[in-house]
Amino acid sequence: MTLRRMATAGLLAAVVAATLGAVAASAGGPRPPATRDQSLRALAARSGLYFGTAVDAAAYADTAEPQYRSMVDGQFSTVTAENAMKWESLEPTRGTYNWASADAFVAAAERNHQQVRGHVLAWYSQLPGWLSTGIQDGSIDGPALRALLRKHITDVVTHFRGRIWQWDVVNEAVSDPWETPSAIHLGGNTGSLKQKFADLLGPDYLADAFRWARAADPKALLFYNDYNIEAFGDGGPGDKTQFVYDLVRKLRAQGVPIDGVGSQGHLSTQYGNYDVLAVAETLQRFTDLGLAVAFTEVDARSLTKNASDPAAAAAGQDLNARDQASAYNYHVLLQACLMNRHCLSFTVWGFTDKHSWIPGWFKNPPEGSGCLWDANYQPKKSLRTVQGDLFMGGPPRVAQKPRR
Ligand code: XIL
């Protein structure tokens, strides 16, 4: 191309761009804010998806840190209480409920026009001390635990009736392949609280839990929620996704009122990445059962030497690669969700590395840096990736599932 032709081509491109810009501005009114400046809730709404976060009640109430609250209020269209609705929070003393924190959380969500995911009803973890001690020392037997669980579900679901969009009715009921025995089963390691909880209640407790929840709030969508069920494995005895699939298929076949499966989505870059289509196909198999699906606790952490300062420690260990791997993990789950119109919501388990459960939980080896914003509330590649994916997410989806 000659210099002259290049100049002409450049001029032509400029004229075309200017004309298109003028047409877009006059036809569509004022130009929308740049994609990077749009909230996740606004971008997700383009495709009819709800975008959520877990909310740390202490950070939300901290007047010294107004940014946390303003981002919860402004960025998200659904919220989950990180701890405030757990049994240990609601009934720390046997027979005495403490609703204050959970009530404040739900009221704030309603002020902000956010849908609430209720988390969590039947779970072996974060039980009040009086209950876990009783299970461990045998002073609470099977029938007693069943009666306590029935009362707990009935009281809590009734308390919030009409105000909860999705309830995590049963959480993490099945074992992991690295536990003993290694074949996936209801419960966990032999002798663990997880196993005792399952054994005392017996295999029918899931069906009962869903029925009790449905009786207390007929409108709320009722979910089974678990981690490491993003994709099917080999279908054998160590395949947790297959076990959960068989479990919920059986519940549906028995007419148990279960509406959805929540895939937590706690990922770590040390384990490599999922395949987008493998995740999409997994969601599809669940929704083919007539169930809705949701990603309920997404984060994508990385190994760090110093978990209290993940960014600094990782800088010497190829931070860029970790950042990109984390972003890709978000992308895989979000794209799979957007590919399925029965994927109702995509919730992250905290949005800033400043208030994330990761460094406190994954210590050996130390992990961190799993959120969309860093510890100084600065956007990370994962945030920009998610914003781009939402922008490209296509027209609003009309969810048809769950089928009731
Ligand atoms: C975590 C919270 O984020 C922590 O603050 C708490 O100390 C432990 O629990 N799966 C779940 C969540 O269903 O409730 C857990 O939340 C994370 C794993």
Side-chain angles (χ1 to χ4, degrees):
M1 204 187 262
T2 63
L3 200 59
R4 198 186 144 82
R5 280 195 59 183
M6 265 173 73
T8 312
L11 186 65
L12 189 65
V15 170
V16 169
T19 312
L20 283 177
V23 168
S26 61
R31 202 188 252 242
T35 303
R36 69 169 63 237
D37 296 328
Q38 292 186 45
S39 68
L40 295 170
R41 72 185 288 172
L43 287 167
R46 295 163 62 95
S47 321
L49 178 71
Y50 286 83
F51 204 103
T53 185
V55 179
D56 173 339
Y60 192 81
D62 186 356
T63 49
E65 213 188 317
Q67 196 160 6
Y68 185 89
R69 180 192 283 242
S70 68
M71 287 180 72
V72 169
D73 294 351
Q75 287 287 341
F76 301 97
S77 40
T78 171
V79 285
T80 307
E82 186 169 1
N83 291 300
M85 286 190 186
K86 292 172 180 174
W87 199 334
E88 68 174 5
S89 305
L90 295 179
E91 199 187 1
T93 306
R94 187 168 181 169
T96 309
Y97 285 110
N98 181 359
W99 302 110
S101 179
D103 282 350
F105 163 78
V106 174
E110 287 170 349
R111 276 198 304 277
N112 295 312
H113 308 287
Q114 292 162 321
Q115 299 269 32
V116 177
R117 294 200 80 261
H119 179 80
V120 53
L121 297 171
W123 189 29
Y124 72 93
S125 186
Q126 294 186 272
L127 295 170
W130 58 266
L131 181 50
S132 51
T133 308
I135 293 172
Q136 298 278 24
D137 69 16
S139 60
I140 292 177
D141 63 9
L145 182 58
R146 184 183 147 84
L148 285 165
L149 183 64
R150 178 178 194 158
K151 178 173 168 15
H152 175 70
I153 290 178
T154 304
D155 288 354
V156 174
V157 177
T158 302
H159 181 84
F160 295 108
R161 179 173 28 220
R163 303 170 78 191
I164 305 294
W165 180 34
Q166 305 173 10
W167 264 115
D168 287 333
V169 177
V170 180
N171 197 34
E172 302 179 356
V174 313
S175 66
D176 291 298
W178 58 82
E179 291 181 315
T180 311
S182 62
I184 309 294
H185 53 278
L186 282 181
N189 262 323
T190 308
S192 65
L193 179 63
K194 188 171 184 178
Q195 189 63 55
K196 283 188 181 153
F197 185 81
D199 286 345
L200 280 179
L201 289 169
D204 292 337
Y205 89 88
L206 289 96
D208 290 336
F210 284 102
R211 290 189 183 111
W212 297 330
R214 174 60 50 90
D217 184 349
K219 289 220 177 106
L221 299 178
L222 307 182
F223 275 66
Y224 177 78
N225 193 51
D226 215 330
Y227 58 90
N228 283 1
I229 56 166
E230 293 85 3
F232 283 92
D234 63 5
D239 186 342
K240 186 171 177 178
T241 308
Q242 183 70 48
F243 187 94
V244 169
Y245 175 82
D246 292 341
L247 185 75
V248 298
R249 189 183 48 183
K250 216 171 100 195
L251 291 172
R252 288 288 289 182
Q254 291 168 345
V256 173
I258 174 174
D259 298 307
V261 170
S263 184
Q264 294 183 2
H266 292 295
L267 305 182
S268 171
T269 60
Q270 65 166 309
Y271 303 124
N273 299 121
Y274 283 112
D275 172 317
V276 177
L277 297 185
V279 177
E281 284 155 20
T282 303
L283 296 182
Q284 172 89 49
R285 286 188 64 187
F286 281 115
T287 60
D288 282 350
L289 295 175
L291 294 163
V293 289
F295 282 106
T296 56
E297 307 184 11
V298 179
D299 47 21
R301 61 192 190 271
S302 287
L303 292 168
T304 60
K305 270 195 185 142
N306 175 1
S308 64
D309 187 4
Q317 307 165 48
D318 207 351
L319 176 62
N320 189 44
R322 282 159 197 257
D323 243 22
Q324 291 189 42
S326 182
Y328 188 74
N329 275 300
Y330 275 98
H331 165 74
V332 166
L333 300 190
L334 180 55
Q335 197 174 15
C337 180
L338 286 166
M339 285 171 69
N340 188 316
R341 62 189 178 138
H342 313 297
C343 184
L344 305 181
S345 54
F346 189 95
T347 293
V348 296
W349 205 244
F351 58 93
T352 163
D353 291 334
K354 185 162 188 185
H355 298 287
S356 164
W357 74 306
I358 293 168
W361 200 263
F362 299 93
K363 289 187 156 154
N364 187 24
E367 291 180 277
S369 211
C371 298
L372 298 174
W373 279 266
D374 73 11
N376 298 313
Y377 293 98
Q378 293 307 303
K380 291 160 63 175
K381 281 198 182 67
S382 46
L383 176 70
R384 298 310 187 205
T385 302
V386 161
Q387 288 178 307
D389 284 349
L390 292 173
F391 184 85
M392 297 293 287
R397 295 141 340 121
V398 185
Q400 294 179 331
K401 307 228 168 105
R403 263 201 315 263
R404 283 209 178 159

